[in-house]
Amino acid sequence: MNIEIDEAQPRSRARWLGVVLILVALAALVWQAWTSGFGDELPPASPSEAVGKTSLKDMLAGIDSAKLHAWAASSAALAAMPASAPLASDETEICGLGRVKADDSGQPKDMAPIRFAAQRARERLLSTLANSPDEVARAAGLLLMSAGRPQLSDETCDSADCARRAAPVNNNTAGRLRSDLVARDALASMALTTRSPRVYALAMNACQSHRKEGVCLQLSPEQWARLDPDNAVPWLYVAADAGDRREAPTAAEAFFRVSRAARSDTHWGALTGLVLAKLPSELPILDKVALAGEVLVIEAEALMPFVPASQYCSVAEVRDANRQQVCSAMAEVLVYKGSSLMDVALGTSIGQRAGWPTERLAALQDERDALLQLNDQSAPPQPWSCSGLVRTLNQLAEMGQHGELGAMRRALKQSPEPVAVLARKQREAAAVRVASAASGAASKP
């Protein structure tokens, strides 16, 4: 058995999001990465941010979770409406706009209406976040501002009106970059005096590509770990930074703290959950989910420092008895106290190297394959249709109640098909895809 995950997973994860706009199966982001693998041959990735202590469950609890369910219920009538006629092979549906031309992947050829929907929601949201008494909400608004917004070029538009509306965005690049910088420095300044690990983590996200610039220069993973010492995630960043500085003892101490952590909580999706919870309920469902897609892209672009952990627990390194013991304990934390499938993926890979029994690894791989199959079976054929958007909001509400990994395992437990059957179907489908790809490659001149 060979369980590996791709060291380039954050970039491939974001690319996959760009193809499907991350809107229907939110967990598919990590599922794709889980099918790849972490090896030991690449240099460590630069340290960056994960979301801090406040969970999506906390953010969407009570009235916020009820709000998401209410949104879904209010759209149920739209979702149940039958199409006036079957869609053509080159068509798809956008809720509220009707049928549009689709590309080979099934996505709308003209994404401008969806981007404008996200922009409408974004403009409503930023003022709400800026005036919120909640420090985390204000920090989230600054992060969204620091990340900017996707540009719309004339090529993305099929109409003169679309091009006209995109022009002001394209002609204000310098002003936008300046605004991004101001927002980033404001968020970093907020982090310098905060006692909230959530705020600090959001600032680290904004600064991940600007660690040596402006106020970002004053932030450090060590301070984040002091604010959230029981969470393995900030200690992974401490270890990655120490590795960049070639401070092996500091890195080793940080990895030891990972192995003793009470949890490993990346809270992927928490920023998106906060955004949805703060949006006005009267906004169209298309606007809500379109903005959620952009925010999920921001979250997916935050690189996790999993590569240094994989390298620390490489096949060669775990031959040392002390290192093997620490790495096995790290794997236990990631697999059984983690909150995401990426935690389980890395933990399983390290556990394999640390000598976990074959039966244990096989059970984890069966669960992975079953979750993949369940995801494939539940993906809607028209993700931008009203029914597809309703399903997305329902998934967010489920995540709000049970967390990312908890919601996925809950769905697996409720499936009428057992894990073994789902896993077998996934492997058979994967074999067909591999054979088809090989046949296509062989037929090319």
Side-chain angles (χ1 to χ4, degrees):
M1 181 180 299
N2 184 22
I3 302 172
E4 294 292 340
I5 36 183
D6 184 6
E7 295 191 340
Q9 54 83 19
R11 292 184 294 275
S12 63
R13 193 183 194 195
R15 282 198 300 271
W16 187 88
L17 292 174
V19 174
V20 298
L21 254 93
I22 25 169
L23 296 179
V24 182
L26 302 178
L29 297 168
V30 289
W31 284 335
Q32 179 187 4
W34 201 4
T35 63
S36 306
F38 275 112
D40 305 308
E41 65 277 5
L42 296 182
S46 298
S48 59
E49 188 275 336
V51 187
K53 193 171 185 178
T54 304
S55 68
L56 179 58
K57 179 177 180 180
D58 296 332
M59 291 179 177
L60 300 183
I63 187 170
D64 291 334
S65 181
K67 181 192 291 185
L68 291 182
H69 284 299
W71 287 345
S74 67
S75 303
L78 281 175
M81 290 179 61
S84 57
L87 293 171
S89 59
D90 64 343
E91 289 182 327
T92 188
E93 182 186 353
I94 299 179
C95 185
L97 300 179
R99 60 186 64 211
V100 298
K101 290 296 182 181
D103 59 23
D104 292 340
S105 69
Q107 293 297 313
K109 281 187 175 181
D110 182 8
M111 296 296 292
I114 294 171
R115 291 175 179 168
F116 283 126
Q119 184 173 323
R120 287 193 300 266
R122 190 177 191 274
E123 290 170 354
R124 292 285 300 273
L125 175 71
L126 288 179
S127 61
T128 299
L129 296 180
N131 296 311
S132 173
D134 178 21
E135 183 186 27
V136 175
R138 296 197 304 275
L142 290 171
L143 174 58
L144 296 183
M145 292 176 64
S146 72
R149 62 178 181 267
Q151 289 196 43
L152 294 175
S153 66
D154 293 354
E155 288 76 12
T156 65
C157 303
D158 287 343
S159 67
D161 181 64
C162 176
R164 176 184 60 79
R165 295 175 68 185
V169 177
N170 294 331
N171 293 334
N172 195 30
T173 301
R176 187 184 69 253
L177 292 176
R178 176 63 182 171
S179 175
D180 297 350
L181 174 60
V182 170
R184 185 171 67 242
D185 277 352
L187 178 52
S189 297
M190 180 186 294
L192 292 178
T193 58
T194 190
R195 299 183 65 180
S196 166
R198 171 79 173 132
V199 171
Y200 205 92
L202 291 172
M204 291 288 286
N205 188 350
C207 291
Q208 66 174 331
S209 300
H210 310 275
R211 292 282 300 278
K212 299 184 182 300
E213 301 174 18
V215 186
C216 291
L217 185 63
Q218 301 179 56
L219 302 185
S220 70
E222 287 81 3
Q223 175 60 14
W224 182 21
R226 282 190 284 271
L227 292 171
D228 198 6
D230 296 326
N231 188 357
V233 173
W235 291 109
L236 288 172
Y237 286 95
V238 172
D241 261 16
D244 286 345
R245 298 190 303 266
R246 299 185 183 278
E247 297 177 0
T250 302
E253 173 62 23
F255 283 127
F256 179 78
R257 295 295 295 264
V258 171
S259 74
R260 294 294 185 267
R263 67 190 190 284
S264 178
D265 212 341
T266 59
H267 298 299
W268 180 83
L271 177 61
T272 304
L274 183 150
V275 164
L276 284 173
K278 296 294 184 180
L279 283 173
S281 58
E282 68 271 13
L283 278 180
I285 189 172
L286 177 64
D287 294 25
K288 298 184 183 87
V289 181
L291 180 61
E294 291 189 359
V295 178
L296 281 168
V297 169
I298 295 172
E299 293 198 87
E301 289 176 345
L303 302 177
M304 281 296 298
F306 285 158
V307 174
S310 179
Q311 293 174 332
Y312 186 77
C313 296
S314 68
V315 173
E317 296 294 348
V318 296
R319 290 171 185 162
D320 176 82
N322 292 331
R323 181 71 62 90
Q324 186 273 341
Q325 184 176 9
V326 171
C327 288
S328 183
M330 283 175 55
E332 293 272 354
V333 170
L334 293 167
V335 169
Y336 300 111
K337 299 178 182 179
S339 61
S340 72
L341 290 180
M342 283 303 301
D343 287 318
V344 179
L346 177 62
T348 302
S349 181
I350 292 176
Q352 179 186 20
R353 300 172 198 169
W356 281 11
T358 302
E359 295 78 8
R360 187 183 196 183
L361 296 169
L364 289 170
Q365 185 158 351
D366 280 350
E367 182 187 51
R368 179 206 67 178
D369 290 341
L371 289 170
L372 284 167
Q373 181 62 25
L374 204 58
N375 175 59
D376 291 345
Q377 293 178 178
S378 64
Q382 302 294 330
W384 290 105
S385 67
C386 295
S387 60
L389 299 183
V390 167
R391 182 174 299 186
T392 298
L393 288 181
N394 279 329
Q395 288 174 334
L396 285 169
E398 185 75 5
M399 286 178 63
Q401 293 177 20
H402 306 288
E404 180 196 15
L405 189 57
M408 296 172 193
R409 285 174 168 163
R410 178 181 170 87
L412 184 60
K413 185 176 181 180
Q414 294 174 347
S415 171
E417 295 182 289
V419 170
V421 172
L422 290 168
R424 175 177 53 79
K425 287 182 176 181
Q426 177 60 208
R427 290 163 193 162
E428 290 174 350
V432 170
R433 289 192 295 268
V434 170
S436 177
S439 176
S443 64
K444 291 182 180 180

